[in-house]
Amino acid sequence: MRSHTQKIRNQIDAGNMGRLADETLKAAVANHGFWGDEWSELFDALRNLPLEERRRLAHAFIERFQSLGEEPEARQKVLTLLGIIARDLPDDFFLPTERLAELQTLGARHSYWHATRLDLLAEAELATGRQLAPSVVAVFRRTALVAYRSEHLVELVKKLTTPVLNVGEAWADHAMEQLTGSDHDPWHALLVHALTATASKPSAKWDKQAQALIDTIGADRVRETTLSWLALVGRPRTITLERQTYEPDINNAYDPYNANALRGLAWLLSLLPPHPDTARALGALVETSLKKVAGMGPRNPKVANAGVIALSRVDSEAALAELARLATRVTYKNTAKLLDVALEARATALGLSREEIEELAVPAYGLTEVGRARHQLGDVTALIEVHGTKSVLGWRNAAGKEVKSVPAAVKRDHADELKELKAAAKDIDKMLSAQTERLDRQFLARRTWAYDAWRERYLDHPLVGTLARRLLWTVDGRPVGFADGELRTLTDDPVATGSETAGSEVELWHPVGREPAEIVAWRDWLERHQITQPFKQAHREVYLLTDAERATGTYSNRFAAHVLRQHQFNSLAAIRGWRNKLRLCVDDSAPPASRELPQWGLRAEYWIEGDGEEYGEDTTESGSYLRLRTDQVRFYPIDAPENSAHCYGGEYGMWLRDGQDPVEPLPLTEIPPLALSEVLRDVDLFVGVASVGNDPTWQDGGPGGRFQEYWSGYSFGELNQSAETRRALLDRLIPRLAIADRCTLEGRFLHVKGERHTYKIHLGSGNILMTPNDQYLCIVPKSAPTSPQTGYLPYEGDRTLAVILSKAMMLAKDTEITDPTILSQL
């Protein structure tokens, strides 16, 4: 650049504007349009040329522009240089038509490299008194948020006050449609104030200004309007942006400029009088903001955090319920920490434990008895009933007769009540899912309850009772279940209640340590009473130490040497309470997937490593591995230093600081059986769900065929513990099926006799072989298969069981198959 600088100065001194234009363009081309610090003095020198010389230099640049033809980068450089020197000159010297066309091309982009100084084109356009197109304004605003030390761009954006939000997002477009255009429009002022929400939490000053705006508009109107905006957050963009190679999926991300306004709107809602709709909207905003975007991760954690802060500031049952629900669902570390802080603060204020506040936070959602509510709307009765983990909204007319759809009179005369009933039904579904997850984690939490508190918060709670009454418990060590309106023993004897049980201790029943005969008896009891458990309990897999694990001593290889889909594994791990770091194809190290068990003083580790070497084939565009290879499971004291290994493999080692001594893994014989079993069950789940061996399309062994041996071995190999449980259930279930005469269980397979072939469905993977020569049959299940009509099932949540049953039903009638992709294989 130094050589170019001197040549440019020589031409300035010589007053040769034609040569000056050539040398300046050469320098710009050589620097690939990077107008860095070296150009600052040159820009000043060009601006300070006498008016007449600047006029001649502008003409020279215009002549060069016309001669460049179709060279967009070089033409853009000429337009930028004209923006610098043509100050005080008529607009014709700026090539206004060409400049506007160049600016318009920006509208389809997310942002640009700020050093190209496209802000100069915008400044020149603004100098004419014209406004930039809204989509172009959005690009400059987004660029300014990510530009590094770009004061000139920040100054430009300060001038771009119209429109108030960036166009291109459904919620923002809708919000701006409601503005009047007046300088005194309070909604405009509200959005402007919302955009100032750039801190981690609102200040007293921010709140005071927001409250004044609320008072001007009216609290009810602010809530109703703002919630209508938030309902559109996350919808597809109204202006699709061009996505560059290796760029994140920008069209599914939030506009970062508008994201600040979303944070402000969340805070503003927390200043309104409490309302159930507000809590719902804030909870939905948190979840929507944490949805993953390819190449980026969560959409916008800052908006999610703002939603949590807003909920924590609302003093209502509905807001507390949302915090408790989100605490069971959110896996993003920083947001989960905020939820913990909010719940701990609420618990402290009420003098309760964190566990108690989560239990008390579950609302009834209008249910007046366990799993049921009646609402009278004129002559019509609305019924909300919980069936399993779903709510059903039904209707009865004045004569008490069931009607299938919402009566016209309800739509006409009770629109608000209908809206609230539908919202309550959705709330029930979301909370039931969250409470199922929470209850399933109580085994490792070692949670116990005083009988009276348990009865109130669980067994007789209108919502949680629908789950608790389908589980097994122990009262002072005596196993009980709920059937026919009462707690009963295994022999169906009612359990005394009242003063006799008031001081009793209750905990969840677990099969570890139970005699096999007792476990089988409880399974029979559930079947006799037609009780479907919300998750596996009586049928829960138990993982006892094997001879191989006693031989290795401190680690288990039971789930080693598997190939897992990394992102699916990462999601499952987070849901089950494990910490994990995505492996990237870079020179970096990472700890193993781990789960802390504070009630046991333990930390469980599952050792994993990234698989592959080819960037783009073995990784996502952002560089994270598509697959992992698995190794040992180990246990350490909870405060032991962390292990780590390189992301693409190698030996794990303990990271020691400040003279720490290494800590050896604990012998597996010292791990309490329940803790060992539950940890290994988690790991079995990770393998059972995320293994590439489950993918029916991988018959060729995946990329390069290098997973062929693993795929074949997993797809049709020995059954793991969960598959053995599935086999035992199918053994009881098959005689009740309509296709029972066509099905037999043999070893690892369910054999289904069709008209064309006999099919062997593997009980672990769900993959299929056909007679006579074990030819593979590829049937790709739907993403969310539903269980076919099989009658009673003792537990929910086994997706592979649903896949196996669906395939069996279809293959038993293989002459009725019409799918061409399946027919071509038969």
Side-chain angles (χ1 to χ4, degrees):
M1 185 60 200
R2 189 173 303 165
S3 172
H4 288 295
T5 300
Q6 189 56 53
K7 291 178 181 178
I8 291 171
R9 291 194 176 279
N10 290 341
Q11 297 309 319
I12 289 175
D13 294 340
N16 189 330
M17 296 300 106
R19 291 289 300 278
L20 176 58
D22 291 334
E23 293 296 342
T24 306
L25 275 175
K26 286 180 184 178
V29 170
N31 281 323
H32 304 287
F34 178 78
W35 311 97
D37 294 339
E38 303 92 339
W39 283 91
S40 296
E41 293 184 9
L42 289 178
F43 284 169
D44 289 340
L46 294 175
R47 286 192 187 97
N48 292 328
L49 287 170
L51 180 62
E52 186 54 39
E53 290 189 359
R54 282 193 290 117
R55 188 188 299 272
R56 287 164 46 210
L57 181 58
H59 277 299
F61 277 132
I62 292 170
E63 290 174 3
R64 272 66 177 173
F65 182 91
Q66 303 296 351
S67 66
L68 287 172
E70 296 300 323
E71 295 184 38
E73 289 189 18
R75 290 163 70 94
Q76 183 189 94
K77 295 176 179 64
V78 173
L79 292 171
T80 302
L81 289 166
L82 280 170
I84 294 165
I85 66 161
R87 181 185 58 190
D88 304 329
L89 297 179
D91 193 35
D92 291 346
F93 286 91
F94 285 88
L95 294 174
T97 302
E98 292 80 357
R99 179 185 65 226
L100 183 59
E102 183 67 31
L103 284 170
Q104 295 287 31
T105 63
L106 282 177
R109 295 166 63 179
H110 178 271
S111 55
Y112 66 91
W113 176 230
H114 68 92
T116 55
R117 295 304 306 272
L118 296 179
D119 59 291
L120 291 167
L121 303 187
E123 291 280 11
E125 184 68 11
L126 292 175
T128 67
R130 293 189 291 266
Q131 296 294 319
L132 302 181
S135 60
V136 177
V137 170
V139 176
F140 283 113
R141 285 172 171 168
R142 290 192 291 263
T143 304
L145 289 174
V146 297
Y148 174 66
R149 290 170 56 189
S150 181
E151 292 85 357
H152 51 272
L153 188 53
V154 172
E155 290 303 313
L156 167 65
V157 168
K158 289 179 181 178
K159 303 174 185 177
L160 303 177
T161 58
T162 302
V164 63
L165 298 175
N166 279 355
V167 296
E169 289 185 313
W171 82 266
D173 293 350
H174 179 58
M176 289 188 290
E177 286 172 2
Q178 296 179 279
L179 303 183
T180 65
S182 167
D183 292 340
H184 303 293
D185 183 356
W187 287 107
H188 183 276
L190 184 144
L191 288 173
V192 169
H193 185 58
L195 283 165
T196 65
T198 55
S200 59
K201 58 184 179 180
S203 65
K205 180 181 178 181
W206 194 96
D207 280 348
K208 183 178 180 181
Q209 292 175 322
Q211 189 63 59
L213 290 165
I214 292 171
D215 293 342
T216 299
I217 300 172
D220 290 343
R221 193 172 167 214
V222 168
R223 182 184 64 252
E224 181 181 348
T225 303
T226 303
L227 295 188
S228 73
W229 300 344
L230 295 188
L232 300 175
V233 173
R235 296 280 183 89
R237 284 187 59 86
T238 57
I239 299 177
T240 302
L241 302 176
E242 296 172 355
R243 186 181 176 192
Q244 306 300 315
T245 305
Y246 299 122
E247 190 174 23
D249 186 4
I250 51 179
N251 286 301
N252 274 317
Y254 287 173
D255 186 301
Y257 184 83
N258 290 348
N260 285 334
L262 287 176
R263 295 170 72 190
L265 292 175
W267 295 350
L268 186 140
L269 284 172
S270 68
L271 298 174
L272 302 175
H275 192 283
D277 287 347
T278 299
R280 291 186 189 114
L282 290 172
L285 181 66
V286 173
E287 292 186 290
T288 302
S289 301
L290 291 178
K291 285 187 176 179
K292 299 290 182 67
V293 172
M296 178 181 292
R299 270 177 173 157
N300 198 299
K302 289 184 177 181
V303 173
N305 293 349
V308 172
I309 288 171
L311 282 169
S312 70
R313 298 193 333 152
V314 177
D315 185 13
S316 74
E317 179 187 82
L320 181 57
E322 278 299 312
L323 288 171
R325 184 185 69 81
L326 290 169
T328 69
R329 310 296 295 170
V330 168
T331 58
Y332 184 73
K333 185 176 180 180
N334 290 339
T335 307
K337 185 176 179 180
L338 271 181
L339 286 163
D340 286 341
V341 169
L343 288 171
E344 289 285 358
R346 194 67 64 91
T348 301
L350 296 174
L352 301 171
S353 68
R354 164 66 186 275
E355 291 80 8
E356 287 177 307
I357 200 69
E358 286 189 353
E359 292 166 356
L360 294 172
V362 184
Y365 295 113
L367 300 174
T368 52
E369 53 187 294
V370 176
R372 199 165 189 271
R374 297 171 63 92
H375 298 272
Q376 200 67 35
L377 306 179
D379 292 334
V380 177
T381 303
L383 295 174
I384 294 183
E385 295 181 310
V386 175
H387 296 168
T389 53
K390 293 290 183 183
S391 62
V392 176
L393 180 58
W395 303 93
R396 294 186 182 277
N397 60 22
K401 183 179 179 181
E402 184 177 345
V403 292
K404 292 184 178 181
S405 58
V406 182
V410 172
K411 294 180 180 179
R412 182 185 66 244
D413 302 329
H414 303 278
D416 290 342
E417 294 97 322
L418 175 62
K419 178 183 175 183
E420 183 58 31
L421 283 173
K422 289 182 175 180
K426 290 180 180 179
D427 288 342
I428 288 171
D429 290 349
K430 290 191 291 185
M431 185 57 84
L432 282 171
S433 176
Q435 292 303 308
T436 300
E437 289 286 347
R438 187 177 69 82
L439 278 166
D440 198 13
R441 294 183 189 178
Q442 298 307 305
F443 296 113
L444 280 174
R446 305 180 82 175
R447 186 89 167 94
T448 61
W449 297 266
Y451 180 84
D452 288 344
W454 168 76
R455 183 106 201 183
E456 176 187 355
R457 300 174 192 174
Y458 286 86
L459 201 66
D460 295 335
H461 188 281
L463 181 75
V464 183
T466 65
L467 304 173
R469 292 185 176 192
R470 295 189 285 136
L471 294 172
L472 302 178
W473 305 84
T474 64
V475 179
D476 284 341
R478 178 174 53 173
V480 298
F482 189 91
D484 300 325
E486 293 186 87
L487 283 175
R488 298 180 182 274
T489 64
L490 188 56
T491 55
D492 275 340
D493 297 319
V495 175
T497 58
S499 59
E500 296 181 35
T501 53
S504 299
E505 184 178 78
V506 182
E507 60 183 331
L508 273 169
W509 180 93
H510 194 285
V512 161
R514 305 283 175 177
E515 291 296 328
E518 180 190 346
I519 297 172
V520 172
W522 276 114
R523 293 178 181 178
D524 291 341
W525 186 90
L526 291 169
E527 185 174 334
R528 186 166 69 251
H529 291 287
Q530 295 287 288
I531 294 173
T532 298
Q533 298 200 288
F535 50 81
K536 290 182 185 178
Q537 187 187 23
H539 293 77
R540 202 173 189 85
E541 299 82 10
V542 173
Y543 299 79
L544 304 178
L545 278 181
T546 64
D547 291 339
E549 288 162 344
R550 289 189 179 91
T552 56
T554 58
Y555 61 89
S556 170
N557 274 328
R558 200 184 304 199
F559 302 104
H562 286 282
V563 182
L564 311 184
R565 292 177 287 267
Q566 173 170 217
H567 293 81
Q568 191 171 21
F569 166 78
N570 190 60
S571 296
L572 284 169
I575 290 170
R576 296 298 299 170
W578 290 66
R579 278 192 309 120
N580 183 55
K581 179 180 178 181
L582 284 175
R583 268 58 179 171
L584 301 176
C585 189
V586 295
D587 186 14
D588 192 15
S589 61
S594 64
R595 180 171 183 179
E596 292 188 346
L597 310 174
Q599 289 81 5
W600 307 84
L602 298 173
R603 182 181 75 235
E605 295 185 352
Y606 190 25
W607 289 8
I608 54 177
E609 62 184 45
D611 175 83
E613 300 176 354
E614 295 297 324
Y615 201 94
E617 180 176 296
D618 296 319
T619 71
T620 64
E621 290 182 354
S622 60
S624 59
Y625 283 106
L626 292 171
R627 292 169 291 276
L628 299 171
R629 289 189 178 272
T630 68
D631 202 346
Q632 305 171 6
V633 175
R634 294 189 175 204
F635 291 84
Y636 289 87
I638 195 168
D639 57 355
E642 195 171 56
N643 286 302
S644 63
H646 203 283
C647 287
Y648 54 68
E651 187 175 352
Y652 272 91
M654 193 163 278
W655 182 259
L656 302 175
R657 302 178 183 176
D658 303 325
Q660 284 179 306
D661 294 325
V663 177
E664 294 298 318
L666 295 169
L668 296 180
T669 53
E670 295 181 9
I671 307 303
L674 192 150
L676 175 72
S677 183
E678 284 298 298
V679 166
L680 293 182
R681 184 177 184 271
D682 276 354
V683 177
D684 195 359
L685 171 71
F686 302 155
V687 172
V689 174
S691 171
V692 299
N694 287 325
D695 190 337
T697 66
W698 271 46
Q699 184 190 9
D700 60 357
R706 67 177 188 268
F707 301 107
Q708 179 66 58
E709 184 176 350
Y710 171 76
W711 185 87
S712 299
Y714 185 90
S715 290
F716 305 109
E718 294 298 323
L719 302 183
N720 59 15
Q721 193 65 44
S722 60
E724 290 285 2
T725 301
R726 196 174 296 128
R727 189 187 193 285
L729 175 60
L730 285 168
D731 192 30
R732 300 170 69 102
L733 181 63
I734 286 172
R736 307 173 198 155
L737 299 180
I739 57 169
D741 60 332
R742 292 182 170 270
C743 296
T744 54
L745 275 174
E746 295 182 21
R748 303 187 296 267
F749 296 91
L750 171 62
H751 292 244
V752 181
K753 180 174 176 55
E755 296 298 328
R756 301 171 186 264
H757 301 276
T758 295
Y759 308 90
K760 296 162 57 178
I761 308 175
H762 190 260
L763 302 178
S765 66
N767 288 333
I768 307 167
L769 298 175
M770 297 187 293
T771 58
N773 57 352
D774 280 352
Q775 178 184 340
Y776 178 63
L777 173 61
C778 178
I779 298 179
V780 180
K782 295 179 180 179
S783 58
T786 55
S787 295
Q789 295 300 313
T790 57
Y792 165 76
L793 290 175
Y795 55 80
E796 299 172 347
D798 188 342
R799 180 182 184 277
T800 302
L801 175 63
V803 168
I804 291 171
L805 290 171
S806 295
K807 289 180 177 181
M809 294 289 186
M810 178 177 63
L811 294 173
K813 301 177 181 179
D814 56 0
T815 56
E816 298 177 16
I817 294 173
T818 57
D819 188 320
T821 60
I822 299 175
L823 284 174
S824 64
Q825 302 175 72
L826 298 180

